[in-house]
C-alpha cells in the first residue's frame, strides 16, 4: 500500500437510503477522513467519485422514492446493489438495509463475494439467526479478500462493545441486560426497523411482519398507541458475547420500548453488566446513553467507527468476518 492510498479519504458507500441510510449521509458529510461517494436503494443507485450532496439526494429520494432519480449521478436499476458494485470505486460499504427476509443480509454478502470485489463491509444486523448465517460465510469472505464486521449498530454494537469493556472488572459474568428506549416522530421514517421489531412480538415472526402492508402496520400501531413493548428479543448481542468468551448466550437479555409517534425516548437506553470480582464481590456496571442521542446517532456513529477499524485491518491483510466485540471502534475525525 503506497503512502497516497493510506492518506486519502476512505471512500464510503451506503446501501439502503431509508432512516439510517439518510442519517449516515448526514453524519459522513462533515468528516475529514471519509467521503460518501455511493448509495443504492431498491429502485436505483447514485455514484460520484468526488462525493455526493446529502440535501439533493435526500430531497429527491423523498419526492421520487429512489436516489436513481438524482441528476446527474443517479441511475435507475432493478438490481441496484450488483450494478453499483460493478462500477463504483469504494473502500467500504455500510449496509443500512432491511434484513427482510431474515436471509437478505447473507444474500448481499454472497453477492459481494461472487462479484470479486475486495474491501470492507459493516452491518447493523440484529437477529442471532441472521448473524449465524454470516458466520457460516467466514471462510468465503476471507478467500474473497473482504473484511466484514457484523453487529456494529447500537444493539448489537455500541452496547455490546460497552459490555465487553465493562466485563474486564469481573472474574465471572452473571448477566448482561440491555434495555433500549427509542423515540421516532413517525414510523414511516424507519419502516424496516419497525417491521423487524414487530416480528419480535408474540404472535408475529419475520415472515408475517415482512408481509404486512404499510396500512396493516399503521392499523397495528393504532391498537398500541404507537408503542412497541419488546421483551426477550432474539438479538445477536448474545452470540457475540458468547463467541468472545464473556458469558453464555442464555445470560444475555435484550428488551425495550419504542415510541413510533414521539422523537423523545420513552425510557433511557442502558446496559447492565453483573458479575463477581476476583475478591468475591458481586456488582453491576451500568452504561447509560444520553437521552438526547437518537437511534440514528447511536447506530451510524459506531458503524463508521467500525468501518474505520475494518479498513485498517483490511490494509494489513486481515480478512474474513469479525463481530463488533472482536475489534473496538476507532474515532472518525
Ligand atoms: P428503512 O426501511 O427506512 O430503509 C430501507 C432502505 O433499504 C430503503 O432505502 C430501501 O429502498 C432499501 N432497500 C430495500 N431493499 C433493497 C434492495 N433489495 N436493494 C437495495 N436497497 C434496498 O430501513 P431502516 O429503518 O433505516 O433500517 C435499516 C436496518 O437497520 C434494519 O435492518 C434495522 O433492523 C437495522 N437497525 C439496526 C439497529 C441496531 O442497533 N443494530 C438499530 C436500528 C435499525
Amino acid at each position: 500500500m503506497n503512502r497516497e492510498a493510506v492518506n486519502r479519504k476512505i471512500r464510503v458507500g451506503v446501501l439502503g437510503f431509508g432512516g439510517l441510510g439518510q442519517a449516515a449521509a448526514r453524519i459522513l458529510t462533515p468528516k475529514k477522513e471519509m467521503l460518501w461517494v455511493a448509495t443504492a436503494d431498491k429502485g436505483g443507485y447514485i455514484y460520484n467519485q468526488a462525493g455526493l450532496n446529502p440535501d439533493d439526494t435526500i430531497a429527491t429520494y423523498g419526492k421520487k422514492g429512489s436516489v436513481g432519480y438524482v441528476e446527474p449521478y443517479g441511475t435507475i436499476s432493478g438490481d441496484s446493489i450488483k450494478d453499483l458494485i460493478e462500477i463504483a470505486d469504494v473502500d467500504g460499504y455500510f449496509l443500512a438495509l432491511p434484513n427482510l427476509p431474515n436471509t437478505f443480509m447473507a444474500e448481499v454478502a454472497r453477492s459481494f463475494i461472487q462479484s470479486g470485489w475486495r474491501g470492507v463491509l459493516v452491518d447493523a444486523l440484529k437477529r442471532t439467526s441472521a448473524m449465524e448465517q454470516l458466520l457460516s460465510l467466514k471462510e468465503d469472505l476471507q478467500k474473497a479478500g473482504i473484511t466484514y464486521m457484523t453487529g456494529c449498530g447500537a444493539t448489537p454494537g455500541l452496547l455490546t462493545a460497552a459490555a465487553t469493556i465493562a466485563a474486564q472488572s469481573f472474574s465471572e459474568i452473571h448477566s448482561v441486560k440491555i434495555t433500549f428506549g427509542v423515540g421516532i416522530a413517525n414510523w414511516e421514517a424507519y419502516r424496516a426497523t419497525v417491521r423487524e421489531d414487530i416480528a419480535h412480538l408474540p404472535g408475529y415472526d419475520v415472515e408475517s411482519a415482512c408481509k404486512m402492508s404499510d396500512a396493516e402496520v399503521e392499523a397495528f400501531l393504532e391498537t398500541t398507541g404507537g408503542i412497541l413493548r419488546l421483551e426477550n428479543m432474539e438479538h445477536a448481542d448474545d452470540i457475540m458475547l458468547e463467541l468472545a468468551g464473556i458469558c453464555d448466550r442464555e445470560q444475555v437479555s435484550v428488551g425495550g420500548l419504542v415510541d413510533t409517534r414521539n422523537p423523545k425516548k420513552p425510557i433511557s437506553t442502558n446496559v447492565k453488566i453483573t458479575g463477581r470480582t476476583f475478591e468475591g464481590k458481586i456488582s453491576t456496571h451500568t452504561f447509560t446513553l444520553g437521552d438526547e442521542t437518537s437511534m440514528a446517532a447511536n447506530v451510524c456513529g459506531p458503524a463508521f467507527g467500525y468501518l474505520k477499524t475494518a479498513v485498517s485491518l483490511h490494509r494489513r491483510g486481515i480478512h474474513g468476518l469479525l463481530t463488533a466485540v472482536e475489534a473496538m471502534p476507532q474515532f472518525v475525525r
Side-chain angles (χ1 to χ4, degrees), residues 39-234:
T39 278
D41 61 34
K42 206 167 185 172
Y45 63 87
I46 179 169
Y47 173 63
N48 180 22
Q49 190 59 42
L52 296 169
N53 179 318
D55 296 327
D56 291 355
T57 314
I58 291 169
T60 304
Y61 181 89
K63 263 187 245 140
K64 297 190 170 170
S66 173
V67 297
Y69 292 103
V70 179
E71 296 285 353
Y73 304 113
T75 306
I76 297 299
S77 160
D79 206 351
S80 60
I81 298 179
K82 278 199 187 119
D83 291 351
L84 180 65
I85 304 174
E86 254 174 47
I87 58 131
D89 185 5
V90 165
D91 299 306
Y93 285 96
F94 171 37
L95 312 179
L97 292 163
N99 191 40
L100 295 169
N102 199 36
T103 49
F104 185 61
M105 211 60 89
E107 266 169 44
V108 172
R110 270 187 222 103
S111 303
F112 273 99
I113 292 167
Q114 279 154 14
S115 74
W117 178 85
R118 294 168 71 87
V120 160
L121 299 174
V122 170
D123 72 35
L125 202 62
K126 292 214 260 197
R127 280 199 178 251
T128 310
S129 49
M131 196 172 287
E132 279 167 340
Q133 295 163 39
L134 282 168
L135 287 163
S136 74
L137 295 176
K138 195 170 188 160
E139 269 181 31
D140 295 337
L141 286 162
Q142 185 147 13
K143 280 188 206 136
I146 293 172
T147 306
Y148 189 131
M149 297 209 56
T150 185
C152 301
T155 165
L158 182 59
L159 298 173
T160 342
T164 304
I165 293 171
Q168 311 306 324
S169 300
F170 302 107
S171 303
E172 184 181 272
I173 300 298
H174 296 161
S175 69
V176 175
K177 187 173 184 337
I178 293 173
T179 308
F180 62 83
V182 168
I184 50 180
N186 60 79
W187 86 274
E188 290 96 334
Y190 291 94
R191 283 188 169 91
T193 302
V194 172
R195 273 203 179 79
E196 287 177 39
D197 281 345
I198 290 174
H200 287 276
L201 294 171
Y204 291 87
D205 57 19
V206 179
E207 206 180 325
S208 59
C210 188
K211 280 190 194 139
M212 283 170 89
S213 66
D214 285 1
E216 282 168 338
V217 173
E218 250 154 61
F220 172 78
L221 291 173
E222 204 48 52
T223 66
T224 67
I227 302 282
L228 299 174
R229 202 175 293 275
L230 300 148
E231 282 166 10
N232 289 322
M233 300 171 81
E234 185 212 313

Side-chain angles (χ1 to χ4, degrees), residues 163 172-178 232 235 237-239 241-242 245-254 271-276:
E172 184 181 272
I173 300 298
H174 296 161
S175 69
V176 175
K177 187 173 184 337
I178 293 173
N232 289 322
H235 247 231
D237 308 80
D238 63 359
I239 192 176
L241 292 169
E242 185 174 273
I246 290 167
C247 58
D248 292 339
R249 66 178 82 183
E250 292 75 28
Q251 291 166 299
V252 182
S253 65
V254 181
V271 53
K272 289 183 187 297
I273 303 90
T274 301
R276 185 178 50 76

Side-chain angles (χ1 to χ4, degrees), residues 158-159 181 265 267-270 287-295 297-298:
L158 182 59
L159 298 173
K265 276 187 197 181
I267 50 170
S268 299
T269 297
N270 68 84
F287 174 68
T288 307
L289 303 187
D291 286 341
E292 300 76 12
T293 60
S294 62
M295 175 176 79
N298 291 318

